[in-house]
Amino acid sequence: MLRNVTRQLPLLRQCTTALWATQRNMSSPGEFPRTQRVERLEKTINQVMLLGRVGANPERRGTEEHPVVTFSLATHTNYRKQDDLIQQTDWHRIAVFKPYLRDVVYQYMSKGQRVMVQGRLGYLERKDPNDDSIIKTATIVADEVIFFNKSGQVEDMQAI
């Protein structure tokens, strides 16, 4: 048993050193820096799945080196308030960077179409032209987009 503990001491020292370095580099209590050098990676999950309707036809944006297709997606939450059935709509901004998927989305997607988007939550930063402050916007970065036809069936498209 003493051998097992002795073998794990270097790993424990590395973890303690990495934790101490992380805490020292924090800009404010409870906030982690965006990038940092680490000795050991830990598993995290950033996954989003949405099923809804497209709000407008997709748009091409970005530059030739960094093209992107964006579109909005509406999802609904239904609930009862006394005797009334209420439907609350949430709008999501979707960005597609993958080359093949980007082209398919731009060519075949249209306003009102029902789609499922799988991806990750990302934050885009831009400067406000009025006061040069930084504005962060939450965006879903799509990894997969599944099209549905009007009858609710999945479209027969390969590798979307």
Side-chain angles (χ1 to χ4, degrees), residues 21-39:
T22 300
Q23 289 175 344
R24 188 183 54 178
N25 291 333
M26 287 183 192
S27 54
S28 66
E31 181 180 322
F32 286 97
R34 278 185 68 94
T35 59
Q36 63 185 356
R37 186 180 181 101
V38 294
E39 299 292 324

Side-chain angles (χ1 to χ4, degrees), residues 50-120:
L50 298 171
L51 175 63
R53 296 216 177 253
V54 178
N57 290 335
E59 298 178 0
R60 286 186 191 221
R61 295 185 175 212
T63 63
E64 285 190 30
E65 296 88 31
H66 304 288
V68 62
V69 169
T70 61
F71 63 95
S72 58
L73 188 71
T75 58
H76 306 289
T77 304
N78 299 319
Y79 63 93
R80 280 200 182 275
K81 187 173 186 180
Q82 297 170 351
D83 291 337
D84 296 330
L85 185 62
I86 307 293
Q87 185 176 66
Q88 178 181 337
T89 303
D90 295 316
W91 289 95
H92 311 276
R93 177 175 289 135
I94 313 295
V96 184
F97 291 96
K98 288 184 173 181
Y100 176 74
L101 183 60
R102 183 179 60 224
D103 296 338
V104 170
V105 164
Y106 186 75
Q107 186 173 1
Y108 295 107
M109 187 180 287
S110 59
K111 179 180 178 177
Q113 188 171 13
R114 190 171 162 106
V115 297
M116 186 172 79
V117 176
Q118 289 180 315
R120 63 183 173 84

Side-chain angles (χ1 to χ4, degrees), residues 135-157:
I135 298 172
K136 289 186 178 183
T137 306
T139 302
I140 309 302
V141 179
D143 291 326
E144 285 186 61
V145 177
I146 299 173
F147 293 77
F148 292 85
N149 63 19
K150 294 185 187 215
S151 66
Q153 300 298 316
V154 175
E155 290 283 337
D156 189 17
M157 300 178 130

